[in-house]
Amino acid sequence: MKSIKSIFVCLALMLLAGCEADEFLDREPLSDVTPKDYLNREADLAAYTIARYNFPTHGGWNIGTFSMDNHTDNQATSGHSNIWAPGEWRVSQSGGSWNFGNIRQLNYFLETVLPRWEAGDIEGSPEYVEHYIGEAYFLRAYEYFQKIQELGDFPIVTNTLEDDMEQLIAESERRPRNEVARFVLSDLEHAIELLQDVPPNGKNRISKYAALLLKSRVALHEGSWLTYHKGTPFVPGGPDWPGAGVISDFNIDIDTEIDFFLTEAMEASAQVADNISLAQNIPGEDIGYDSSGNPYFTMFGSENLESYDEVLLWRDYDPTLGISHNVNHYINQNGGNSGYTRSFVDNFLMDNGLPIYASGSGYAGDDFIQDVKENRDQRLQLFMKAPGELRLTDAVDSDGSPLLIGIPDIIGLQETKDVTGYSVKKGLSYLESNVEGNSGSTGSIVFRAAEAYLNYIEASYLMEGSINEKAGQYWGAIRSRAGIEPDYEITVSATDMAKEAENDFAAYSAGELLNDPVLYNIRRERRSELMAEGMRLFDLKRWRALDQLKSEPHIIEGFKVWGPMEEWYEDEDGNSLLIEPGQGGVPNVSSSEESNYLMPYRINTGSGNPVSDGFSWAFAHYLNPIATEHFLITGPQGSTDPSSSIIYQNPGWSTQAGTGAEF
């Protein structure tokens, strides 16, 4: 039986990808030849669905999923993202998120298999046949959820279409995002009914608990999006919503929808959190030095994740089969062209539950990386490097001494650079076999149960306005594992929102500073627990936590390079290796006159760096633009006027290729 490590195929067929009818969703899938006698056996179903697993996992010459929070206020890389540079992100002529590749493949599967299943015509174990049908429902839901995040309103297409241009164009009509989200939840409910608790081939395949977690994620996303974006064109029925007068048979009660989605999020997340335990944090005497015996740490860097109850779905690798990655080629040896930001590091609590700025916190300062980690949230201690910590357990240096982590290479090659000086340690393997060349075999987590704990806490608080008993238990479990005082009220009473605003985009919603420190600390908990796992921008967008950047850009900072650590970067004769802008030569650090802290996007302040003055924002960037070609294809035949299309552009974007956000 094929496993998730075999195929993570990314398909790019589009519903409306050309001007001819045969470019539409009118044919049997072509990427896999699908004759009429296929999909009659359990093995066929298993192979078909796993070929459509399309989850982000480790791959390529990089640090894998631990780089997915690059280009946020949590994590930085050498290059910049145009999402933070209004005017630079532009409408494309073709391509983009408006496509139906995997959706089309999954529609074909369900359209073909369901009648055969109901007739009892599929060979194999009945429970496994049901399981693979459940996978198809899950995967279609997952694909549609990506479209909600990227585009908002989107067509709901549930079957393969006939070769009829009028029908194909009609099926392109966008439906309001809340309706699409309800459709996603419906597919997930079908999946939950059919999927096994323990799937065939173990947790390399989708399980019922993975479906419940995704359901809680989808419902929380939509409930919080409607909450914070209410009264804007990014919500169906809002002022200047582009679907007004275009979408047929539409009506909505926003508050009812919010309650529905938050309730769904609570129910689904509780089913996961009540049944799935968290991996234990068993720190040694020096928690940062050697974490090879700590299950919480090794969960992210082990080769086999099957024994971790918290892991709901993961990808396996086997270099002997040519299935490998290079995560530890970078994380273990260098910075991998990434690094945590100062604002992120400063946001972690002390182990006594106090913010670093609070009186009596015990914060040791940031003159050295080791000081920054002292008596802090153990997630920071575990998952951020510091010089002198153990690097490998099965190898030693030439003199027999342990191989240790060195100083951050902030001036090295871009590919291996420690961009901020605060380097990623999440996912580190202590085994030499995972380090050299293309030999990485550590597992890649797709879903883990801790997110369900966090989803329940947030959804219940938004719904009820207080921390109920269950949310309190979940929050206490998360904080206790992190080595923090479990009483969240200690943190809440010491929280200064003006101070937090300096370190956290999520201190805002709709351009206003939050006045609820409980809600803020729920957001802080997500930021800390999900560090380097690719959830940051997902959260910031649904919280509408970026409006303030339109008028107040944020400059990304790293560690305190201009201080005692400056001596780390001297040659044998005591000459500094650091070159500031304007000193002659190619600068490799930012100016000491501007800040004591390394500012990676201020090293080069030329015209080719639109984020040198800080991350800014355009409201339109909450959603992606639709490429121009899709408006032309879905208009009257031969039309060159995008406005004649049945589909409409997302708020703040033009239909003309090459244009930036309008607001």
Side-chain angles (χ1 to χ4, degrees), residues 384-589:
M384 186 177 79
K385 294 180 189 176
E389 295 175 347
L390 188 65
R391 190 164 71 80
L392 293 172
T393 57
D394 61 348
V396 294
D397 211 338
S398 57
D399 61 0
S401 60
L403 283 168
L404 305 178
I405 293 171
I407 65 171
D409 185 5
I410 61 172
I411 59 177
L413 297 173
Q414 178 173 303
E415 180 184 1
T416 59
K417 192 174 184 179
D418 292 276
V419 174
T420 65
Y422 288 141
S423 305
V424 178
K425 195 177 180 183
K426 204 168 200 176
L428 182 139
S429 167
Y430 287 100
L431 301 180
E432 190 174 24
S433 60
N434 273 303
V435 173
E436 296 301 326
N438 190 23
S439 61
S441 58
T442 56
S444 184
I445 297 175
V446 179
F447 295 112
R448 65 184 181 97
E451 184 191 343
Y453 289 62
L454 297 166
N455 290 353
Y456 184 91
I457 296 167
E458 183 180 348
S460 63
Y461 188 79
L462 290 175
M463 187 75 176
E464 301 169 1
S466 62
I467 299 296
N468 64 32
E469 182 179 1
K470 188 181 287 288
Q473 292 173 353
Y474 294 162
W475 203 351
I478 291 284
R479 286 171 67 102
S480 294
R481 181 172 72 171
I484 304 171
E485 160 59 51
D487 185 357
Y488 69 88
E489 292 184 355
I490 291 175
T491 304
V492 169
S493 63
T495 298
D496 182 335
M497 289 307 303
K499 289 283 189 182
E500 300 298 347
E502 299 172 7
N503 294 328
D504 194 348
F505 292 173
Y508 293 88
S509 276
E512 300 292 330
L513 190 64
L514 293 181
N515 60 6
D516 185 341
V518 177
L519 178 59
Y520 171 72
N521 279 288
I522 291 171
R523 294 183 178 185
R524 187 210 304 268
E525 202 67 62
R526 286 186 69 89
R527 190 184 194 191
S528 300
E529 177 61 31
L530 300 175
M531 64 189 296
E533 294 184 50
M535 294 293 288
R536 183 57 172 173
L537 195 57
F538 170 90
D539 284 340
L540 293 174
K541 284 186 173 183
R542 67 185 179 86
W543 291 331
R544 195 181 164 191
L546 302 168
D547 288 22
Q548 71 281 359
L549 298 175
K550 189 173 179 67
S551 58
E552 300 177 7
H554 175 84
I555 293 178
I556 296 295
E557 292 182 325
F559 76 161
K560 192 176 182 180
V561 64
W562 301 112
M565 288 185 288
E566 182 181 349
E567 296 181 3
W568 289 354
Y569 303 98
E570 295 178 350
D571 63 20
E572 294 178 355
D573 297 322
N575 300 310
S576 178
L577 300 173
L578 305 178
I579 305 172
E580 300 179 54
Q583 284 188 338
V586 179
N588 54 25
V589 289

Side-chain angles (χ1 to χ4, degrees), residues 227-457:
T227 296
Y228 296 113
H229 290 268
K230 183 165 59 173
T232 76
F234 297 96
V235 165
D240 299 320
W241 174 54
V246 179
I247 291 183
S248 58
D249 60 299
F250 166 75
N251 64 80
I252 188 172
D253 182 321
I254 292 290
D255 292 332
T256 298
E257 290 296 280
I258 291 171
D259 287 351
F260 167 76
F261 286 114
L262 294 179
T263 299
E264 292 288 302
M266 290 171 63
E267 292 177 353
S269 57
Q271 290 184 67
V272 178
D274 286 345
N275 290 283
I276 306 295
S277 61
L278 300 176
Q280 284 186 287
N281 178 15
I282 308 175
E285 184 175 335
D286 184 346
I287 183 173
Y289 178 74
D290 178 3
S291 301
S292 60
N294 187 339
Y296 185 31
F297 183 87
T298 59
M299 177 171 63
F300 298 96
S302 292
E303 295 179 343
N304 190 329
L305 308 185
E306 204 67 19
S307 64
Y308 295 91
D309 195 40
E310 181 174 342
V311 175
L312 305 180
L313 178 65
W314 65 288
R315 182 184 180 184
D316 190 15
Y317 294 82
D318 187 344
T320 66
L321 300 176
I323 303 167
S324 60
H325 58 74
N326 301 284
V327 169
N328 271 277
H329 181 75
Y330 295 102
I331 284 183
N332 190 285
Q333 299 185 114
N334 52 66
N337 195 23
S338 187
Y340 300 129
T341 66
R342 178 193 173 199
S343 67
F344 182 42
V345 171
D346 285 358
N347 199 230
F348 282 90
L349 298 171
M350 304 299 295
D351 57 13
N352 57 18
L354 297 177
I356 62 172
Y357 55 75
S359 176
S361 72
Y363 180 50
D366 57 6
D367 281 348
F368 291 98
I369 298 172
Q370 295 90 331
D371 294 344
V372 173
K373 295 174 67 171
E374 186 176 335
N375 298 324
R376 299 292 294 281
D377 182 328
Q378 289 179 4
R379 290 170 293 201
L380 183 64
Q381 297 188 57
L382 286 169
F383 301 124
M384 186 177 79
K385 294 180 189 176
E389 295 175 347
L390 188 65
R391 190 164 71 80
L392 293 172
T393 57
D394 61 348
V396 294
D397 211 338
S398 57
D399 61 0
S401 60
L403 283 168
L404 305 178
I405 293 171
I407 65 171
D409 185 5
I410 61 172
I411 59 177
L413 297 173
Q414 178 173 303
E415 180 184 1
T416 59
K417 192 174 184 179
D418 292 276
V419 174
T420 65
Y422 288 141
S423 305
V424 178
K425 195 177 180 183
K426 204 168 200 176
L428 182 139
S429 167
Y430 287 100
L431 301 180
E432 190 174 24
S433 60
N434 273 303
V435 173
E436 296 301 326
N438 190 23
S439 61
S441 58
T442 56
S444 184
I445 297 175
V446 179
F447 295 112
R448 65 184 181 97
E451 184 191 343
Y453 289 62
L454 297 166
N455 290 353
Y456 184 91
I457 296 167

